[in-house]
Every structure is written in C-alpha cells, then in structure tokens.
C-alpha cells in the first residue's frame, strides 16, 4: 500500500558522530511536541532521516509546514512510501513529480541502502526515468540543473519517493545545548536574538523588565504574544516578569542623568544572572547590535558586562536593523513588535545619555545607591508564567514560586 508521509532531512546532526543518536532522539521528542495538534501515528529514524507518519497515512502540506519550523530540521519532503514492487514506486514517482509544481526539466536520483534489492540504482534510474518521460513528454531531462529531482530511495524493505522539498529553519534540536536566560522586550531585537539562540539548541528562559507600576502592563502582554509566536520552535519554557518601574525612579534620582541607562542595565543584568543561577542557565542573551543606540557602544557594553560573571551572548551584535526586521518577519514576531507599548526602556530617559562611559565614573555612580538590596528585592518579587511548548524545560524547585497574575489565571493549588 502507498502512503504519504513527511520525510525530515537534517544536516548538522549527521556530523555528530557517536553523539548523533542523542541529537536525533531529541529531535524526535521535539517533533512529537510540535505536532501534538496533528494525528501523528509515528515519528522515527530511517537511514539518516526522520519519518513522520499520520494515522490516516495522508500527510499534508500543513503538517510539513509545522515540521519546518522546528529547530534541527534542514528540509522536509512530502514523500510516498511504497513497497519494493517497481510498478508501485514508478506510479508514485509520476504522482510526486506531477504534484511538485510548475517545471520544465527534471532528473531521477535512485539509490538503495538495502543491497538485497535485486535492481541496481542505475537500473532504477532508467526504469523511473523512462516512465516519467512517457508521462511528461513535453518536459526535458536535465541531469545538471533540473527544476525538480525525483528521489527514489530503497531502504529497510520500503521505497521512499519524493520530488518537492522545502527548507526548514536548520540549526540543532532545542535541548541539546543547555539553558540560557534571555533579556526579552516586545521590540524587534530581543525576540530575534532569543529565536537565534534557541535555533542553536538552547532552552530559552526570557526575563522581561516591565515599567510597572509607573507604566501599564501592555508590554507584558506583548511579550506573552512574542512567546506564543515562538511556540512552533519550542524554545521557551518559562517567562519571568520583573516590575522595575519604581526602582528605575530610585536610580534616576541617585545617579548622574547621563549614566542612568547604564545603571538600569547593570541592575537588569544582575537580576538576570541571579535568575540564571536559580534556573541552572549557563549564559545571558541580549538583543544588542553594536552602535545601534547609546547603550550599545563598546565602552558602554563593557561597563554593563563588568557587573556579571557568566557569559553574555549577543547574537545580533553585527546585524543592522533591516536584517533584524527581515528575520522578525520570518519568525512571526514582526507584527507584535510593531505595536508600541510603554515599558522600562521608555522610563526616566536622559536627554543626553553617555555613549563612552568611563569605568571610574560608572563605579562611583554604582555605589551611590543600594544596588545589592535592589537586586535582591527585585528577584524576590519576580513573577513568572510557564509554557508547555518546550519539552526539555524543567523548572527550578522551591524558588520563584509567584505566578504572573496578569498573564494567567491563578489558583492556590498551583503553588
């Protein structure tokens, strides 16, 4: 019987040597989570690929599109699975090429991973090619630059046939590169930075610094929307929200106006580092791009970095705004980030922020207020919401047990 399924291709995972099975198994787990709304009967490994089969044996383009958004997936092909009867896979090849789209040229690539099959790959090429030339007499064979390549692959007692493939997001399966804490706002940059690190296999735990109570909680809702938009990638397990507005006011009254932003960011970095240690995260992630705003010059980045001891990753450091916006459109966060919302970034901003901070002045301003007490208080009052989209995320036990009431219903049983 011929069935239609999704054949999942990967690139980097195939280079992992003895650890390859670990990466494959994690990708299988992540696919099960990402495809929970579909009636999936099986996700398994077949000779350097993964196969996703549905209960009705009729995989759809909607299923393929969902698979393509999962980190670790390089390409997805809607394929036919047949037996070893050449008439069956020849018919499937004609059907696959006919469904692939508009084309003027094609070629056949047949191979067999099972040497027990009597036909040689060259004989399979001739057999399938002749049938396709007869079925599509107005199309030409081009072995060098075809519009479509019809693949016929015999493996483990079955034949997989496909012509059309579409690229996935690539990268590595989430859960294979540890955990990071990301500083998340509702703007363009930090959601893209979060997605980029998640695509490299990291579990992401975003922390959002809200201007509340000095501003509304609109930015918090938008950050929740950002996390929901990233749900198909399965990279976020928990969102922390830190009400920061009142503390910003205290800082603005205590330090020179030009150094306010640097002081805000130093406090934010220390709070994030505390959360990272509670979570067991190994690094912080920001959406900074070199020179984009005053706080992102090399001098100011160094002044902020000085206050933490774990690595700070900046995946967008060499990107310009147009590149970041294009990526936001691709991952589905652009429309959310277009919405304006007051948050901590808009509070008590100096007229002329320092662009090349001197460390002696920074340290003097840092000691002018009780930063240690402030950081401890912010961590104690942090709020959080869990998401079910990341199967590899495990929450810390016995710490930070305060739900974010504005973002999710709360009941005492959930404590």
């Amino acid at each position: 019987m011929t069935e239609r399924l999704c054949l999942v291709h990967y690139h980097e995972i195939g280079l992992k040597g003895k650890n390859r099975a670990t990466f494959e198994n994690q990708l299988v787990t992540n696919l099960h989570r990402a495809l929970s709304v579909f009636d999936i009967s099986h996700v398994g490994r077949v000779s350097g690929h993964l196969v996703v089969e549905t209960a009705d044996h009729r995989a759809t383009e909607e299923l393929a599109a969902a698979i393509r958004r999962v980190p670790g997936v390089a390409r997805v092909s809607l394929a036919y699975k047949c037996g070893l009867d050449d008439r069956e896979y020849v018919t499937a090849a004609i059907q696959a090429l006919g469904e692939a789209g508009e084309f003027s040229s094609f070629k056949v690539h047949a191979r067999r991973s099972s040497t027990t099959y009597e036909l040689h790959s060259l004989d399979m090429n001739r057999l399938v090619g002749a049938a396709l030339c007869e079925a599509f007499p107005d199309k030409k064979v081009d072995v060098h630059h075809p519009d479509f390549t019809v693949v016929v692959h015999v493996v483990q007692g079955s034949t997989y046939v496909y012509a059309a493939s579409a690229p996935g997001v690539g990268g590595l399966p989430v859960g294979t590169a540890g955990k990071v804490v990301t500083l998340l706002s509702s703007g363009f940059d930090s959601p893209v930075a979060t997605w980029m690190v998640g695509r490299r296999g990291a579990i992401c735990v975003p922390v959002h610094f809200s201007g509340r109570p000095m501003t509304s909680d609109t930015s918090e809702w938008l950050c929740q929307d950002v996390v929901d938009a990233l749900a198909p990638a399965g990279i976020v397990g928990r969102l922390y929200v830190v009400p920061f507005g009142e503390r910003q006011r205290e800082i603005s009254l205590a330090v020179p106006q030009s150094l306010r932003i640097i002081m805000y960011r130093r406090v934010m970095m220390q709070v994030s580092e505390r959360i990272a240690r509670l979570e067991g995260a190994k690094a912080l992630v920001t959406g900074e791009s070199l020179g984009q705003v005053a706080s992102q010059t090399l001098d100011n980045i160094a002044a902020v970095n000085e206050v933490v001891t774990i690595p700070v990753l900046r995946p967008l450091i060499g990107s310009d705004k147009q590149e970041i916006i294009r990526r936001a459109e691709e991952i589905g966060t652009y429309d959310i980030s277009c919405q304006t919302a007051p948050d901590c970034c808009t509070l008590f901003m100096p007229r002329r922020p320092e662009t090349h901070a001197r460390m002696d002045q920074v340290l003097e301003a840092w000691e002018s207020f009780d930063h240690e007490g402030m950081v401890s208080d912010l961590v104690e009052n942090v709020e959080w919401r869990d998401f079910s989209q990341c199967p590899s995320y495990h929450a810390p036990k016995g710490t930070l047990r305060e739900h974010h009431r504005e973002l999710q219903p709360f009941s005492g049983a959930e404590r």
Side-chain angles (χ1 to χ4, degrees):
M1 183 185 85
T2 301
E3 65 174 288
R4 205 178 197 202
L5 49 73
C6 287
L7 199 61
V8 180
H9 311 255
Y10 45 77
H11 291 159
E12 285 188 71
I13 294 175
L15 306 176
K16 293 301 180 181
K18 294 180 180 179
N19 295 322
R20 176 171 165 174
T22 300
F23 287 81
E24 289 178 327
N25 290 336
Q26 185 64 61
L27 183 53
V28 169
T29 298
N30 294 350
L31 285 171
H32 274 295
R33 190 279 320 161
L35 307 178
S36 58
V37 298
F38 297 91
D39 192 5
I40 303 299
S41 62
H42 176 67
V43 180
R45 294 182 285 174
V46 174
S47 186
H49 301 82
L50 298 180
V51 293
V52 179
E53 301 180 69
T54 59
D56 63 359
H57 307 297
R58 290 290 178 267
T60 62
E61 174 56 35
E62 289 75 18
L63 174 62
I67 296 172
R68 291 196 293 267
R69 300 187 67 179
V70 178
V73 174
R75 266 188 312 123
V76 181
S77 304
L78 273 171
Y80 289 98
K81 179 182 178 181
C82 317
L84 300 180
D85 187 324
D86 54 22
R87 291 170 298 182
E88 190 176 356
Y89 63 68
V90 163
T91 300
I94 295 171
Q95 195 164 355
L97 185 57
E99 295 170 345
E102 294 295 325
F103 70 100
S104 59
S105 62
F106 69 92
K107 80 171 184 178
V108 177
H109 177 63
R111 60 195 178 104
R112 53 176 191 163
S113 297
S114 174
T115 56
T116 59
Y117 183 57
E118 63 273 11
L119 283 183
H120 192 276
S121 56
L122 291 176
D123 297 323
M124 294 170 62
N125 271 327
R126 295 189 189 99
L127 179 66
V128 175
L132 292 176
C133 287
E134 184 177 346
F136 303 97
D138 58 330
K139 310 300 181 183
K140 65 179 182 178
V141 176
D142 184 345
V143 297
H144 298 295
H145 303 289
D147 293 328
F148 287 107
T149 297
V150 179
V151 177
V152 182
H153 186 191
V154 175
V155 58
Q156 296 180 8
S158 298
T159 308
Y160 297 88
V161 181
Y162 61 90
S165 290
V169 298
L172 295 172
V174 176
T176 59
K179 186 188 289 186
V180 298
V181 163
T182 75
L183 279 72
L184 182 70
S185 73
S186 60
F188 292 104
D189 302 345
S190 56
V192 173
T194 297
W195 181 86
M196 290 182 70
V197 175
R199 190 175 72 116
R200 298 306 306 163
I203 301 166
C204 296
V205 182
V207 178
H208 175 62
F209 288 84
S210 168
R212 182 159 49 94
M214 313 303 289
T215 69
S216 69
D217 61 359
T218 306
S219 68
E220 302 167 29
W221 285 93
L222 290 178
C223 282
Q224 177 181 251
D225 291 343
V226 166
V227 174
D228 288 337
L230 298 177
I235 62 177
V236 176
R238 171 177 283 191
L239 169 66
Y240 287 102
V241 175
V242 182
F244 191 38
E246 187 59 44
R247 297 307 188 180
Q248 282 185 267
R249 179 177 176 277
E250 294 176 22
I251 294 171
S252 70
L253 295 174
V255 307
Q257 184 182 114
S258 62
L259 295 177
R260 285 179 188 173
I261 296 176
I262 294 176
M263 295 303 110
Y264 299 158
R265 293 195 65 80
R266 283 169 70 95
V267 170
M268 291 162 69
M269 293 293 272
Q270 282 206 338
V271 170
S272 299
E273 183 180 38
R274 292 271 195 97
I275 293 174
R277 296 198 184 284
L278 291 168
E279 283 279 354
K282 305 300 183 184
L284 304 180
V285 178
T286 75
E288 292 164 304
S289 172
L290 187 61
Q292 186 168 260
V293 295
S295 65
Q296 296 175 14
T297 63
L298 284 178
D299 290 325
N300 289 2
I301 287 173
V304 172
N305 261 23
E306 187 268 342
V307 81
V308 295
T309 59
I310 64 175
V312 181
L313 309 180
R314 295 177 170 89
L316 304 182
I317 197 67
S319 302
D320 64 31
K321 200 66 176 183
Q322 293 307 309
E323 292 172 325
I324 296 168
I325 287 175
R326 283 196 296 271
R327 179 70 80 176
E329 291 172 336
E330 293 173 7
I331 66 176
T333 59
Y334 174 81
D335 290 338
I336 301 167
S337 298
C338 282
Q339 302 177 56
T340 58
D343 62 9
C344 70
C345 297
T346 62
L347 275 179
F348 309 112
M349 297 299 289
R351 292 181 180 178
R352 294 184 177 179
E354 179 62 66
T355 56
H356 299 287
R358 291 172 48 188
M359 191 56 70
D360 57 341
Q361 295 176 343
V362 169
L363 294 178
E364 182 180 354
W366 186 241
E367 295 302 327
S368 67
F369 65 98
D370 182 14
H371 54 83
E372 291 183 5
M374 182 178 293
V375 169
S376 296
D377 182 69
L378 288 169
V379 173
E380 288 177 5
N381 289 283
V382 73
E383 302 166 4
W384 57 270
R385 178 185 174 180
D386 280 339
F387 294 82
S388 61
Q389 58 188 240
C390 182
S392 300
Y393 176 74
H394 300 288
K397 294 182 179 179
T399 56
L400 304 178
R401 302 306 297 171
E402 184 70 18
H403 273 282
H404 189 301
R405 290 171 171 81
E406 284 76 13
L407 297 187
Q408 90 171 14
F410 174 79
S411 68
E414 290 179 296
R415 277 192 178 275

